[in-house]
Structure formats: C-alpha cells, structure tokens
Amino acid sequence: MEDSIKIENLTVRYDDRSHKRDMNTILNQFSLTVPKGTVCAIIGPSGCGKSTLLKVVAGLIQSSFGVVRFGDKPINPKNFRIGFMPQNYGLLPWKSVHDNILLGCQIKGIAKSRRADMRSLCERLHIETLLDRYPHELSGGQQQRVSLARVFLLSPDVLLMDEPFSALDAITRDAMQEVFLDLWRGQSITTLLVTHYVEEALYLGDRIVIMPERYTDAITIIDNPLARDKAQRMGQKFFSMSCALRKKIIQMRSRS
Amino acid sequence: MRVGRIIVSYLTAAAFLCMLWTCVAYIMELPIVPPPSRVLSRLVLVFFDSIAVHGAYSLFRIGAGLLMAVIIGYPLGVLMGYCRRVDRILSPFVYLTYPIPKIALLPILMLLTGIGELSKILMIFLIIVFQVVIAVRDGVRAIPSETYFPLRSLGASFGQILRHVIFPAVLPKFITAIRVAMATAVSVLFFTETFGTQYGMGYYIMDAWLRVNYLDMYAGIVTLSAMGLSLFGLIDCFEHFTCHWQER
C-alpha cells in the first residue's frame, strides 16, 4: 500500500539498571499497518508501550529494532514531515501563540509560504485573538487548539497524537474532537492516535488496536465501521460497540 | 507606568537611607561621618573632573570580565548540561576549583599577567565564570525531555534546538547567576583596584581615605553604589525584555 505507515517487527528495550536486569522490554516484535488517509486508534492500559510506540514512529527513540516505514522508505524526521502532538500539547512556554504555531513550519523552512494559511486556520480554530498571548495564559482547550493549529499548518505526512484530549473536561473534549475531525477531513492525514477512552477510539479510529498489558501477549486489531459517524455517536450501535470493546479490553487484561 | 513605579520605589529607598545617614551624622558629629547633603554637593562638584574617569575604568573592567566569562562559561555550561559524558569529565574540575577564594589567587595573577588591566579583568572573569557555568548547566539539565519532542520529531538541527529551546529556557537562570555574580564582582573589583593602578573606583576611594579627604571618599562610595544600582537595573531591564513570558 502506498504512503501507509508500516511498523514491522518493532522491538524496544530500555536500559534499566534499577531492575537489576540489563534490559526492560517495552515492545516485542510489534507489527502494524496504518493505511493511507486513515486514523488508527491505539488503546491499552498504562505502561503497555503505546506512548513508546508513538515516540519510535516520531523518531524520538532510536534504540529500537525493526523498521517503521512510510510508503516504501524508513521513516525519519529529517525526510518526512511528522506532526507530533504530545499529551501536554508541546507548546514552548517562552514563545507566543503566534510563534508556537509557526514553529513547525519554521523548522522545516516553510514558514513564509504558510502565513496566509495560518490566518485562515486560526480563524477556523477561533484563536485569532490569542496570537500575542503566551501558553500559560490560555485554558487547556485553547492550548489544544493552538497545538492543533501548529500541527495542521505543517500539513504533515504523518500525524501522531499521544492522548491529545485526555487533559480536557468531557464537554471540551467532545468539542475538540469535532474541531480535530473538521481539520482532519480537509487533509486526511495518516494518523496514529493513542487514547485511553473507549468512546474516543470508537469515534475517531478507522481501526482500533488494543494493546495487551504485557508485551508477550498479542495485540487485537478491530475494524471500526462507525468511525467519524456523528449520526451514530449517540445511537444504539455505538453504545453496543463500546460495550463490546470494553469487554474485550477486560478479557485481555484478565488473561495476563 | 510600571517603570515609573520602579523608579519611585528606588527613590524612596534612597531617600530612606539618606535620612538614616543624616541622623547618624548629626548624632555622631564626627568628620568621618559627614551628612549626605555635604557629600552629594561634593559629588556634584568633583564628578566630571575626577570621579567619572575612575568610574569608567571600573565599568570597563567589569564589562570585559563579564563578557569573557559569558563567552567561555555559557558554551561550557550548555555542553555540560546537554552531554552527560562531558559533565562527568568536567564537573570534578569545576567543583575542585570553584570553592577556591579567587581573591587568594590575586598575587599569582599579578605575577603572571602583570599589575595592569589583565590581572583585574581576569579576577572578575574567574569570579563570574563558575557561576555562569553552573547556572547554565543546571538550567539545561532542568529542561524536561518532552520539551525537545516537538522539535526533534521535526528533525530539528542542534542549532535550531539551541535557538528555540535551550537558549530561552536557560535565560532566566543565566540572568540570576549574572545578578548574583555582579555583586561579588563589584566588591572584588574594589579590592583589586587598590593595587597597581591609578584609575578605578577602588583606587579613588582608597586614595581619598589616605588623604583623609572623607568627603571625596564618601562621594566615591556613593558613586560605586550608584554604579552597582545601574548594573542591576540594566540586568533587570534585559530580563524584562527577554523573559516577559514568565511574568504573570
């Protein structure tokens, strides 16, 4: 498949001397394909390695075995535009909202050509009046919008989101998911999304990957027909699917 | 508006100190404690004729020492904070030499570099450089690794990381270090200027003292204090313009 993210036999071990073992395995022979233009939601208990997985794809952890490809080339932050959205939004406290949004494009050397896009993007996200402020002066939801603006202004090849909506209250989270989808539909970026909310995974992910608690157990991949279907979101189908998903997660946990 | 308020607060403090000084002067009634009014009028009289040139020399020495300390200490601190291995090698050297009272090295410095400008500038450099190295190193170390993530995932070069993360993150700690070091530097400068020079505030004050000209001596002390105040003011201004993201 062209331009999909392909993770093949990925193994990550941390040097962990405090455990008196030399190595601490986080991921073992992990394989996953995210087709072009889809969202893959990864769900699993804390410590199962889902954030580590994102960091490897983002090129932040190099000491791993196996390959991550985008299209037919190994993924590398220098050759691709990787949009990485960490849990704490990744805004630099010493940069104004304006500079934070432009940072990604500045690093890639495309800041000048994106200024016009930035204006319309900020208007769409309703942050055009906040451009001179600093991140600590914003609410969580506003910081989230700024972070989204930064990532989408870059129009990345790959989008990686690490529990992006989990620090928000329930109502804001729902609103931000809509904002995200609105932007996402415009660019259809191949996306890996880590979450611990079953409903979020169901609403956003074309595919849902359930990671086991221990790296020795197998992952479960579920195709999700209800992805981004707003009409279904409050419906019976969505509810029963989320119950089934929960059951599956609990089953996997009790097995380990 | 804000600047106005700061100036008012400084003037209030100065007025309070002058009042205290006046009281002491009138209670003691000794030539060694003249009232501030006489000292200030003397200062106005002799400032441009004699004090200004001494002040300029002292400022030059502080400026040169500070510049040298930043040029050498800043990159060293960044390197030590960023690379654990460099820190492991260099920390022992820093920790072994930092506690040595630098003033004790003055005779050696004078023998090696002569009694001219270099020994005085080197002295100030030696006092400031350690504080810069340690503050910058700790500042770099204190940056959480997540702060680098958005840049690293974009394939940013070390230069870009330095510019967008390390430099702004370390700046507040760096400024604090300069502020602390500055006070020590001014007092040590005074001491070094009492040897082998005929210029500088240290020389001027000691000379006035030996001539038993207490008014000149106090005029010199007031100038030295004003110099310190302006240096601190300058640092505060610099901080205000570069670190305003910190102000709430």
Side-chain angles (χ1 to χ4, degrees):
Chain A
M1 238 175 290
E2 211 191 331
D3 289 356
S4 55
I5 305 174
K6 270 189 210 149
I7 303 167
E8 289 161 12
N9 299 322
L10 186 70
T11 300
V12 181
R13 296 194 182 107
Y14 276 127
D15 212 353
D16 189 358
R17 302 218 165 96
S18 63
H19 279 70
K20 299 211 169 164
R21 280 181 300 172
D22 276 341
M23 290 293 186
N24 194 4
T25 306
I26 307 291
L27 291 169
N28 191 35
Q29 299 287 315
F30 183 93
S31 295
L32 177 71
T33 302
V34 185
K36 185 191 178 181
T38 63
V39 177
C40 176
I42 301 171
I43 197 161
S46 354
C48 70
K50 41 192 201 311
S51 293
T52 306
L53 177 67
L54 276 201
K55 281 180 198 158
V56 173
V57 179
L60 298 170
I61 297 176
Q62 253 110 38
S63 55
S64 58
F65 306 94
V67 222
V68 182
R69 280 181 223 280
F70 182 70
D72 47 6
K73 287 189 198 121
I75 208 161
N76 178 330
K78 290 234 185 271
N79 305 339
F80 292 99
R81 274 188 222 157
I82 300 174
F84 180 68
M85 226 171 125
Q87 200 175 350
N88 61 3
Y89 316 124
L91 302 177
L92 296 178
W94 42 82
K95 284 189 184 284
S96 65
V97 167
H98 174 270
D99 294 350
N100 259 303
I101 293 173
L102 272 181
L103 181 69
C105 296
Q106 220 178 333
I107 301 286
K108 288 292 181 193
I110 50 170
K112 271 193 189 139
S113 58
R114 290 294 162 91
R115 276 181 201 275
D117 296 337
M118 178 177 163
R119 184 163 304 199
S120 63
L121 188 63
C122 290
E123 276 165 15
R124 217 161 137 194
L125 286 164
H126 307 293
I127 51 172
E128 72 274 17
T129 53
L130 306 174
L131 293 178
D132 294 328
R133 303 249 202 117
Y134 286 92
H136 69 81
E137 298 169 321
L138 307 181
S139 69
Q142 287 170 329
Q143 289 186 25
Q144 175 71 264
R145 283 167 193 268
V146 174
S147 184
L148 282 172
R150 171 153 91 191
V151 160
F152 279 93
L153 186 64
L154 190 68
S155 34
D157 302 308
V158 176
L159 178 57
L160 308 169
M161 302 169 93
D162 191 358
E163 302 191 16
F165 309 111
S166 59
L168 305 172
D169 63 86
I171 304 297
T172 317
R173 192 188 314 141
D174 287 354
M176 285 317 298
Q177 287 168 0
E178 293 303 329
V179 169
F180 163 71
L181 281 181
D182 180 41
L183 294 172
W184 188 87
R185 282 192 185 104
Q187 300 188 5
S188 290
I189 304 162
T190 314
T191 304
L192 258 174
L193 168 91
V194 164
T195 177
H196 55 240
Y197 291 102
V198 172
E199 280 78 15
E200 190 168 284
L202 259 182
Y203 186 49
L204 301 177
D206 297 278
R207 268 184 175 188
I208 299 167
V209 175
I210 308 173
M211 301 244 312
E213 202 158 1
R214 280 189 310 185
Y215 66 88
T216 43
D217 299 338
I219 59 166
T220 307
I221 301 175
I222 297 167
D223 283 315
N224 174 26
L226 302 174
R228 302 187 286 281
D229 192 342
K230 202 174 180 184
Q232 289 283 352
R233 196 173 184 188
M234 296 294 163
Q236 185 61 42
K237 239 176 171 175
F238 193 92
F239 181 70
S240 54
M241 187 92 174
S242 79
C243 289
L245 207 58
R246 278 202 164 81
K247 215 180 251 174
K248 192 121 204 165
I249 293 168
I250 293 165
Q251 254 175 22
M252 282 178 76
R253 201 172 283 193
S254 59
R255 223 184 291 153
S256 61
Chain B
M1 185 61 192
R2 238 184 115 251
V3 176
R5 222 181 305 152
I6 291 170
I7 290 174
V8 167
S9 68
Y10 276 101
L11 285 178
T12 316
F16 181 77
L17 281 176
C18 279
M19 244 163 59
L20 208 70
W21 182 2
T22 313
C23 292
V24 174
Y26 280 108
I27 291 167
M28 292 181 77
E29 277 193 276
L30 287 171
I32 198 166
V33 194
S37 53
R38 284 183 60 205
V39 171
L40 290 176
S41 53
R42 177 78 188 161
L43 177 64
V44 172
L45 210 69
V46 294
F47 184 78
F48 288 106
D49 289 341
S50 55
I51 294 186
V53 64
H54 293 282
Y57 263 93
S58 292
L59 276 179
F60 162 71
R61 285 165 188 155
I62 291 179
L66 180 67
L67 196 70
M68 240 167 96
V70 172
I71 288 173
I72 293 173
Y74 196 93
L76 208 63
V78 169
L79 214 62
M80 285 170 73
Y82 201 72
C83 311
R84 289 256 145 192
R85 201 175 301 160
V86 177
D87 186 42
R88 231 173 287 141
I89 296 167
L90 292 183
S91 281
F93 288 97
V94 173
Y95 287 158
L96 277 170
T97 46
Y98 187 17
I100 297 173
K102 306 299 169 304
I103 203 87
L105 296 176
L106 186 62
I108 303 165
L109 271 183
M110 280 171 136
L111 279 174
L112 292 177
T113 61
I115 52 172
E117 292 304 308
L118 193 60
S119 61
K120 294 170 182 59
I121 292 169
L122 271 179
M123 192 46 115
I124 293 179
F125 159 77
L126 279 177
I127 286 166
I128 301 180
V129 74
F130 288 98
Q131 305 194 22
V132 171
V133 168
I134 293 197
V136 171
R137 182 199 66 177
D138 291 353
V140 175
R141 264 200 210 160
I143 302 171
S145 55
E146 299 92 65
T147 313
Y148 296 111
F149 287 173
L151 273 91
R152 289 225 174 108
S153 64
L154 291 163
S157 64
F158 181 68
Q160 285 171 322
I161 287 177
L162 202 64
R163 178 177 152 212
H164 294 292
V165 178
I166 295 179
F167 186 69
V170 164
L171 202 55
K173 281 197 176 145
F174 171 68
I175 290 174
T176 303
I178 294 290
R179 201 180 277 134
V180 173
M182 192 67 85
T184 328
V186 170
S187 16
V188 171
L189 175 81
F190 176 86
F191 187 71
T192 62
E193 281 178 345
T194 54
F195 300 100
T197 181
Q198 289 194 329
Y199 290 105
M201 289 315 296
Y203 168 78
Y204 182 84
I205 292 169
M206 286 309 282
D207 181 58
W209 181 41
L210 293 176
R211 286 187 284 114
V212 205
N213 188 339
Y214 292 123
L215 280 183
D216 273 4
M217 186 183 92
Y218 275 99
I221 292 173
V222 169
T223 311
L224 199 62
S225 151
M227 259 169 60
L229 177 70
S230 348
L231 286 173
F232 280 124
L234 223 62
I235 295 172
D236 279 3
C237 278
F238 182 67
E239 186 177 33
H240 174 72
F241 286 112
T242 54
C243 303
H244 48 120
W245 56 274
Q246 278 194 317
E247 287 162 16
R248 277 155 210 264

